[in-house]
Each structure stands twice: as structure tokens, then as C-alpha cells.
């Protein structure tokens, strides 16, 4: 009987003390109104299990600095001055230091903050709680240092701490006040002058699963499969229009359409060839296709920028300005710049088989592009090709369009205000309509070409942005075809309706910017 009584008493005592173990603290504190305050108090008195991970308790000398590692991926360094400030005026030699890791899902953002940082997330959903002594001190004379290890899955982050706004519902927000962020190739290093809850906020790259990658591939192949023949048809239409009406604008459309045809055709060939190569990564055919694909992309972007430049100059011909060898100069830039860049990259041997990795499997996909063998060369060339140069083209074309819209508005206002004294009166009604038609033509073409490249920024924040970007860019050849048909129809209507021509205006337009070389 005494043995039974002893076992029962021991069992009841153990059950009553179960809440003192650290693994039970978070669950029990979550039931209270202010779980954060409860957790901070009880984490200092709970008992950590021998094999428990995610929490580390140490009693250390307050006159010495200390390193605490709750997990292998997190490390906390506390200077001796911070330990002494945490115990206040108490003359204790030893101080209890606790560092634990909590899932970020327990921290609820207040409504205004929740709407502001929808695309921001806590790095690996990990929040580090740091407590030392009997009080949480702010404005430490020397900051504590927290280290978060990473495997290069994110490029940058911001160190923050949790600022509670309501103790009743536990809501708050992440603040970087008093925290400095430093990062190396493998670690985020946070220096903060306080104790409490710390994390790293990151804006992660959008991960594409194999299922989404397959859908995007189908969209790209179908779109490029349509764009290549439609771009070729558009090229013949522009050649026909140029023979009937030799104009600079149509000649530029021809150059851009030719570059786009090469881009889509080479992309299809490179994707098909790499499937046949299998393990032959050093195939000379893949090197050549990678070079041509890179050259075609640069040529398309360059001619798109030249279209924007020409759009701006279209209004200058009203003032009878002539540019000698204009098309030759544009061709040297439009075809020369991509050729030089591709030649330098080819000599540096940066082309070859490029590997795409899926986020949810070990499967990979390959294409003939810039090889991922030489990492440093890949980073430099990829950044210039896919980020810096497209960004420059989009911004440049946006500026040109803005200037053109302003000049058209200013020109119309001048025509209304000054009547016969304006140069606008020197051109008859038909030529004015033609000038407006040319401006609208190139304006629409620039919008069609500039919008898809400008949407590249959306691919970093949402999967929907990737789909929109893929659809619009893969169908550029189709858009060019529709625009060429509209331009051909407009020219035919203009020719049918123009039975009377003003000889003086015709002479002026012939000797102006639009004259032949």
C-alpha cells in the first residue's frame, strides 16, 4: 500500500510539473491574452530537456561576453556590458541567458502593416528570442549580434525586431529601428541594441515548380512557334510597303522585325537542340546557338530603343531638319552593338548549356544559352543582358514617349494660338494627317514592344507576373504582324483618299527628315 501511494504521489507531482518544461511553454502561453509577455517570463524559468532543440539556457559570468546557439543555423553573441545592464544594480556574478527559436506564424501583424508588406516574409519563418537577466533592456551601450545562416537562396534581407502594439490580441509589426544589417555569402549578421524577438525580413524570389514550369514551357513554345512565322510574314509586308513608300519608319520596322524573327527562331532551335544533345554539353552547335540567341535578344532590344529614338525625331521633320546617312548610322548601332557584345562573349567562351532547376524536385531543364560553368562570367553577362540593358531600354523608350506626347501637345497649342504665323500652316491638311499617322504608328509599336519588357519586374514578386510576361513576350511576333496589317491597310486608305497633293508641301516633306539618303 505504501508503494502504491508513493507511485501515485510521484506521478501526480510529475504531471503537475509538466508545464515547467520548455517545450510546453509556448502552447500554454498561447492560451493567455498576452502570450508574448507570458513566454518571455516563463522561458526564463522553464526546464529545457536534454535533447530538446530550439532553445539554449546558460548561466554565465556577467563580466564576460557569451555566445549562445539555440540551433545550428542561429547564433547569438552578447557583450558583457549588455549582461551587466540586464541585471541592473544587482550585484550578481552569474546571469541567466536564454535564446530560443519560434515559428513566425505566431506573430500577427496589425492590419495596416499586413497590407504594406504582403510580399515580404520572415526568413525561413524563424524568430529568435533573446533574454538575459531580469529585464529586457533597450538602447544597449553595445549591441548584441545575431547570426542567421543561409544557403544563398536569398540575395538580401533586413534585420528587424518585433514591436508589439496590442497586448490584448498580440498584434504588432516588424521594425528595424536600432538594428543594423550585414550579410556575407553565407550569413545574415544583425547588430541590435535591445533584447526580445528578432528576425530577418526578405523579399524572396518566386520559386517555380515543375508543374508551372511545364505550363510556361508550353506557352513559350506555342507563342514562339506562332511568332516566328508571323514575324516573317510581317517582314515581307514591310518590304512591300517600303517599296511603295520608302520611309524611314518602315525601314526601322523591317530591322526590328528581322531581329525578332531571329530571336524566336533561335530560341526554338536552341530548346530543341539541347534535348538532342543530352550529356554533350560542349557541343559546338549549342555554343553557336547560344551566341546567336544572345545576339538576337540584344538586337531586338537595341532596335526597340532606336524605334523610341526615331519616334522622338519624327516631329523634328516639321522644322525641315535633314540627317545625312541616317539609316546607315542607326544600322551601325542596331546591328553593330549586339555583334560586338556577342563576339566578346564568344571569345570568352561563356556560351553553352544552361541548366534550369525546379523548386520542388531534383529534375532540371536545359537550353543553349549562357553556360553556367563559369559562374563569374555568367553573373556579369546575365545581369547586363537580362536586367541592366532591358531596364535601360524600357526607361529610355518611356522618356521618349513622354517627350513626344509633350511636343505633340505643344505643337497643337502653338497652331491654335498663332494661326498663320506657325510653321504648322506650311504643311497642308493631308501632310498633317500623315504626320499624325506616323507618330501614332510608332507610338503604338513602341507600346507593344515596351510593355512586355517593362513587365519583367513583375516576375520577381508574383507567379502571375511570370505568366503575363511569358505570354506577351512569346507573342510579340503576332503583335508585329497585326500592326503591320493595320499599317498596310492605313496606307492603302491614305493612297485611295489622296487624289490632290500640294506641290509645295510635297517638296518640303521630300527635302526634310524623311527624304532618301
Amino acid at each position: 500500500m505504501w508503494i502504491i501511494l508513493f507511485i501515485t504521489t510521484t506521478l501526480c507531482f510529475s504531471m503537475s510539473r509538466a508545464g515547467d518544461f520548455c517545450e510546453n511553454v509556448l502552447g500554454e502561453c498561447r492560451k493567455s491574452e498576452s502570450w508574448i509577455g507570458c513566454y518571455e517570463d516563463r522561458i526564463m524559468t522553464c526546464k529545457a530537456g536534454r535533447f530538446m532543440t530550439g532553445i539554449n539556457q546558460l548561466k554565465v559570468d556577467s563580466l564576460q561576453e557569451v555566445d549562445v546557439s539555440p540551433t545550428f543555423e542561429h547564433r547569438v553573441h552578447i557583450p558583457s556590458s549588455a549582461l551587466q545592464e540586464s541585471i541592473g544594480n544587482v550585484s550578481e556574478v552569474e546571469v541567466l541567458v536564454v535564446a530560443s527559436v519560434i515559428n513566425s506564424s505566431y506573430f500577427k501583424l496589425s492590419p495596416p502593416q499586413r497590407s504594406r508588406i504582403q510580399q515580404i516574409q520572415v526568413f525561413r519563418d524563424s524568430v529568435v528570442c533573446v533574454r538575459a537577466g531580469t529585464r529586457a533592456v533597450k538602447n544597449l551601450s553595445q549591441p548584441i549580434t545575431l547570426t542567421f545562416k543561409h544557403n544563398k537562396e536569398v540575395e538580401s534581407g533586413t534585420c528587424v525586431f518585433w514591436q508589439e502594439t496590442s497586448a490584448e490580441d498580440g498584434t504588432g509589426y516588424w521594425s528595424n529601428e536600432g538594428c543594423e544589417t550585414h550579410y556575407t555569402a553565407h550569413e545574415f549578421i544583425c547588430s541590435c541594441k535591445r533584447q526580445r524577438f528578432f528576425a530577418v525580413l526578405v523579399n524572396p524570389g518566386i520559386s517555380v515548380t515543375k508543374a508551372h514550369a511545364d505550363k510556361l514551357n508550353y506557352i513559350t513554345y506555342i507563342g514562339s512557334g506562332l511568332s516566328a512565322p508571323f514575324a516573317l510574314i510581317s517582314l515581307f509586308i514591310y518590304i512591300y510597303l517600303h517599296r511603295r513608300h520608302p520611309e524611314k519608319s518602315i525601314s526601322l520596322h523591317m530591322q526590328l522585325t528581322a531581329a525578332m524573327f531571329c530571336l524566336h527562331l533561335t530560341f526554338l532551335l536552341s530548346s530543341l537542340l539541347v534535348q538532342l544533345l543530352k550529356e554533350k554539353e560542349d557541343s559546338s552547335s549549342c555554343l553557336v546557338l547560344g551566341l546567336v540567341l544572345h545576339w538576337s535578344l540584344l538586337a531586338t532590344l537595341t532596335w526597340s530603343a532606336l524605334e523610341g529614338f526615331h519616334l522622338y525625331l519624327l516631329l523634328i521633320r516639321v522644322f525641315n531638319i535633314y540627317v545625312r546617312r541616317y539609316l546607315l548610322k542607326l544600322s551601325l548601332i542596331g546591328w553593330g552593338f549586339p555583334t560586338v557584345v556577342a563576339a566578346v562573349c564568344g571569345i570568352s567562351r561563356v556560351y553553352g548549356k544552361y541548366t534550369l532547376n525546379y523548386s520542388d524536385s531534383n529534375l532540371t531543364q536545359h537550353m543553349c544559352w549562357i553556360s553556367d560553368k563559369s559562374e563569374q562570367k555568367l553573373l556579369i553577362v546575365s545581369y547586363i543582358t537580362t536586367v541592366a540593358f532591358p531596364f535601360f531600354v524600357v526607361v529610355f523608350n518611356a522618356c521618349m514617349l513622354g517627350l513626344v506626347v509633350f511636343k505633340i501637345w505643344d505643337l497643337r497649342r502653338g497652331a491654335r494660338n498663332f494661326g498663320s504665323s506657325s510653321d504648322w500652316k506650311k504643311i497642308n491638311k493631308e501632310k498633317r494627317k500623315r504626320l499624325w499617322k506616323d507618330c501614332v504608328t510608332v507610338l503604338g509599336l513602341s507600346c507593344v514592344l515596351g510593355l512586355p519588357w517593362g513587365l519583367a519586374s513583375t516576375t520577381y514578386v508574383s507567379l502571375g507576373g511570370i505568366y503575363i510576361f511569358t505570354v506577351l513576350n512569346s507573342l510579340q511576333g503576332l503583335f508585329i504582324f497585326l500592326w503591320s496589317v493595320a499599317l498596310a491597310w492605313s496606307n492603302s486608305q491614305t493612297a485611295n483618299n489622296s487624289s490632290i497633293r500640294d506641290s509645295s508641301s510635297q517638296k518640303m516633306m521630300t527635302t526634310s527628315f524623311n527624304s532618301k539618303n
Side-chain angles (χ1 to χ4, degrees):
M1 184 176 65
W2 289 103
I3 296 175
I4 296 176
L5 181 61
F6 174 77
I7 294 175
T8 304
T9 305
T10 304
L11 182 61
C12 293
F13 177 77
S14 299
M15 293 179 61
S16 65
R17 299 293 295 174
D20 293 338
F21 288 101
C22 295
E23 58 264 31
N24 301 322
V25 169
L26 183 60
E28 294 182 358
C29 287
R30 287 285 297 167
K31 300 176 183 178
S32 62
E33 294 182 355
S34 178
W35 76 269
I36 292 180
C38 171
Y39 182 82
E40 286 183 308
D41 293 336
R42 294 193 54 183
I43 202 70
M44 300 294 292
T45 59
C46 67
K47 296 179 181 180
R50 180 175 298 180
F51 302 103
M52 182 180 177
T53 60
I55 185 171
N56 196 346
Q57 295 176 332
L58 291 176
K59 274 198 172 184
V60 297
D61 190 343
S62 62
L63 300 178
Q64 296 181 357
E65 57 187 17
V66 61
D67 288 318
V68 187
S69 298
T71 68
F72 293 107
E73 299 177 350
H74 306 87
R75 186 175 68 254
V76 181
H77 175 80
I78 305 177
S80 58
S81 60
L83 294 176
Q84 295 174 20
E85 293 177 28
S86 65
I87 59 177
N89 298 324
V90 180
S91 58
E92 294 183 0
V93 178
E94 288 189 339
V95 58
L96 178 63
V97 176
V98 180
S100 62
V101 178
I102 310 173
N103 192 282
S104 62
S105 60
Y106 296 115
F107 297 83
K108 304 300 182 183
L109 291 172
S110 56
Q113 298 295 326
R114 191 183 305 122
S115 60
R116 292 177 187 174
I117 58 174
Q118 292 178 350
Q119 300 299 334
I120 305 297
Q121 73 176 33
V122 176
F123 176 63
R124 292 183 178 173
D125 296 326
S126 298
V127 179
V128 178
C129 175
V130 180
R131 285 297 310 271
T134 57
R135 57 176 185 168
V137 184
K138 301 179 182 179
N139 301 321
L140 295 170
S141 57
Q142 290 183 307
I144 64 175
T145 304
L146 302 96
T147 302
F148 298 78
K149 293 184 179 180
H150 66 83
N151 295 323
K152 298 183 179 179
E153 64 264 40
V154 291
E155 296 181 357
S156 61
T158 303
C159 297
V160 293
F161 71 93
W162 181 253
Q163 182 65 56
E164 190 177 18
T165 56
S166 175
E168 296 180 357
D169 55 9
T171 58
Y173 62 93
W174 296 107
S175 173
N176 61 351
E177 182 180 357
C179 289
E180 296 182 1
T181 307
H182 308 277
Y183 47 90
T184 64
H186 302 283
E187 294 178 335
F188 289 111
I189 303 175
C190 305
S191 298
C192 299
K193 295 185 176 181
R194 60 172 61 236
Q195 300 179 30
R196 286 205 90 180
F197 300 92
F198 302 94
V200 176
L201 293 185
V202 294
N203 192 356
I206 301 300
S207 58
V208 179
T209 62
K210 186 180 183 305
H212 287 295
D214 290 340
K215 295 178 182 178
L216 291 171
N217 286 335
Y218 291 142
I219 294 173
T220 304
Y221 295 148
I222 294 174
S224 293
L226 293 174
S227 290
F230 276 116
L232 184 60
I233 296 173
S234 302
L235 183 60
F236 287 123
I237 293 177
Y238 286 133
I239 292 175
Y240 171 76
L241 292 177
H242 188 264
R243 288 181 177 179
R244 295 192 59 184
H245 306 283
E247 298 178 358
K248 300 293 189 300
S249 297
I250 297 179
S251 180
L252 262 70
H253 301 343
M254 291 170 53
Q255 312 295 329
L256 178 60
T257 305
M260 187 173 297
F261 170 73
C262 293
L263 175 62
H264 288 283
L265 180 62
T266 309
F267 171 78
L268 292 174
L269 291 177
S270 65
S271 301
L272 176 63
L273 178 64
V274 79
Q275 302 298 327
L276 302 177
L277 292 176
K278 295 182 179 179
E279 300 300 329
K280 298 178 181 179
E281 298 186 3
D282 297 328
S283 172
S284 58
S285 301
C286 193
L287 298 178
V288 172
L289 280 177
L291 185 148
V292 177
L293 181 59
H294 187 209
W295 174 84
S296 302
L297 176 62
L298 292 176
T300 302
L301 291 171
T302 304
W303 280 108
S304 179
L306 293 177
E307 285 274 12
F309 175 72
H310 182 71
L311 173 62
Y312 171 74
L313 291 184
L314 274 176
L315 288 183
I316 298 180
R317 65 180 175 183
V318 175
F319 304 100
N320 198 22
I321 292 178
Y322 172 73
V323 180
R324 189 171 181 268
R325 299 184 182 276
Y326 176 68
L327 284 179
L328 177 61
K329 294 176 181 178
L330 291 186
S331 297
L332 289 176
I333 299 174
W335 300 115
F337 171 72
T339 303
V340 172
V341 174
V344 172
C345 293
I347 295 174
S348 303
R349 301 189 65 83
V350 301
Y351 300 114
K353 184 178 288 187
Y354 178 72
T355 303
L356 300 171
N357 298 312
Y358 299 127
S359 61
D360 62 343
S361 66
N362 295 325
L363 299 177
T364 58
Q365 184 178 352
H366 307 282
M367 65 177 295
C368 294
W369 178 236
I370 302 172
S371 175
D372 47 6
K373 285 185 176 180
S374 52
E375 184 176 354
Q376 186 175 3
K377 295 178 182 178
L378 173 69
L379 290 176
I380 296 174
V381 177
S382 296
Y383 178 81
I384 295 175
T385 303
T386 62
V387 179
F389 191 55
F391 175 79
F392 167 77
V393 171
V394 171
V395 173
F396 178 78
N397 279 347
C399 294
M400 293 298 101
L401 292 175
L403 289 174
V404 166
V405 171
F406 174 77
K407 284 183 174 293
I408 291 176
W409 174 78
D410 186 62
L411 191 61
R412 293 189 64 185
R413 185 183 62 176
R416 290 195 301 266
N417 293 340
F418 298 102
S420 60
S421 63
S422 173
D423 290 333
W424 184 264
K425 295 288 290 183
K426 296 180 181 180
I427 304 177
N428 63 8
K429 183 177 180 181
E430 177 188 346
K431 294 304 176 183
R432 278 182 284 176
K433 289 182 178 180
R434 183 174 181 81
L435 178 60
W436 279 103
K437 185 203 68 174
D438 290 341
C439 292
V440 172
T441 298
V442 185
L443 178 65
L445 183 62
S446 299
C447 291
V448 169
L449 296 177
L451 179 60
W453 296 114
L455 290 175
S457 58
T458 63
T459 61
Y460 294 94
V461 297
S462 67
L463 187 61
I466 297 178
Y467 275 94
I468 295 174
F469 177 80
T470 302
V471 171
L472 293 182
N473 277 279
S474 63
L475 293 176
Q476 279 186 334
L478 178 60
F479 297 150
I480 287 290
F481 170 75
L482 296 177
W483 198 259
S484 64
V485 171
L487 182 61
W489 179 82
S490 177
N491 283 345
S492 63
Q493 291 294 109
T494 302
N496 294 333
N497 295 333
S498 300
S499 57
I500 301 176
R501 298 178 180 270
D502 188 350
S503 59
S504 61
S505 298
Q506 180 69 23
K507 182 178 179 180
M508 178 181 177
M509 295 298 293
T510 304
T511 58
S512 67
F513 173 82
N514 209 28
S515 62
K516 297 182 180 179
N517 291 330

